[in-house]
């Protein structure tokens, strides 16, 4: 039986739907990759998810596993990987910077600036207040 635990370090970050959906897809892809590749059958491990504000009101999202790391030929195959391409494209949509690091497991890190348009759209604010 495979034992994988989660360490969630999630700050109270407000996100517009137009950013929350791509972030959810990036999270799904990164966590799925950890389950599929980081921990060979029966091995134990931890997946750490961080979401918090950093300098200049940017937000940092990271998914890190302590698994076996990337294969030696990862950089050669990187552009053929649909998952990496998906995460890079979603990161571009968020105008963020995505990096994948291979040290003591794999880290997928994205830094982006949150969009806050609630105050600019009074109709939306009224709708949110009515449904809250």
């Amino acid at each position: 039986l495979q034992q994988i635990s989660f360490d969630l370090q999630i700050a109270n970050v407000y996100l517009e739907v137009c950013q929350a959906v791509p972030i959810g897809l990036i999270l799904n892809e990164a966590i799925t990759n950890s389950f599929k590749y980081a921990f060979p059958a029966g091995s134990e491990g931890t997946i750490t998810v961080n979401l918090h504000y950093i300098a200049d009101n940017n937000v940092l999202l990271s998914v890190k596993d302590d698994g076996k790391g990337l294969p030696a030929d990862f950089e050669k195959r990187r552009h053929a990987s649909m998952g990496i391409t998906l995460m890079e494209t979603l990161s571009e949509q968020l105008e963020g910077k995505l990096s994948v690091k291979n040290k003591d497991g794999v880290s997928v890190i994205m830094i982006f600036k949150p969009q806050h348009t609630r105050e600019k759209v009074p109709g939306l604010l009224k709708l949110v207040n009515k449904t809250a």
Side-chain angles (χ1 to χ4, degrees):
L1 181 64
Q2 196 171 15
Q3 280 294 110
I4 300 173
S5 59
F6 280 87
D7 178 7
L8 303 177
Q9 300 172 17
I10 311 292
N12 188 15
V13 175
Y14 173 80
L15 296 170
E16 297 284 344
V17 171
C18 63
Q19 287 187 308
V21 170
I23 288 166
L25 293 170
I26 290 169
L27 277 169
N28 182 64
E29 184 63 29
I31 292 168
T32 299
N33 284 346
S34 290
F35 272 103
K36 283 169 62 175
Y37 304 115
F39 308 109
S43 65
E44 296 183 1
T46 302
I47 299 171
T48 303
V49 179
N50 280 292
L51 179 72
H52 58 269
Y53 287 101
I54 56 172
D56 298 327
N57 286 329
N58 286 317
V59 173
L60 175 118
L61 169 69
S62 74
V63 178
K64 181 182 182 344
D65 66 57
D66 60 358
K68 67 179 187 172
L70 295 169
D73 64 345
F74 172 76
E75 282 304 320
K76 287 181 191 169
R77 296 185 318 167
R78 180 179 183 142
H79 297 292
S81 164
M82 181 125 162
I84 295 291
T85 303
L86 173 68
M87 289 191 290
E88 287 173 342
T89 303
L90 291 166
S91 177
E92 288 170 16
Q93 179 182 333
L94 294 165
E95 298 176 0
K97 292 186 167 96
L98 182 83
S99 61
V100 179
K101 298 187 191 285
N102 189 26
K103 184 176 183 217
D104 302 322
V106 175
S107 298
V108 175
I109 301 162
M110 184 179 62
I111 297 173
F112 66 98
K113 192 167 286 294
Q115 296 174 355
H116 298 293
T117 58
R118 280 174 75 157
E119 23 334 316
K120 297 176 189 169
V121 186
L124 178 61
L125 190 55
K126 286 179 189 171
L127 176 66
V128 169
N129 288 336
K130 284 182 184 175
T131 58

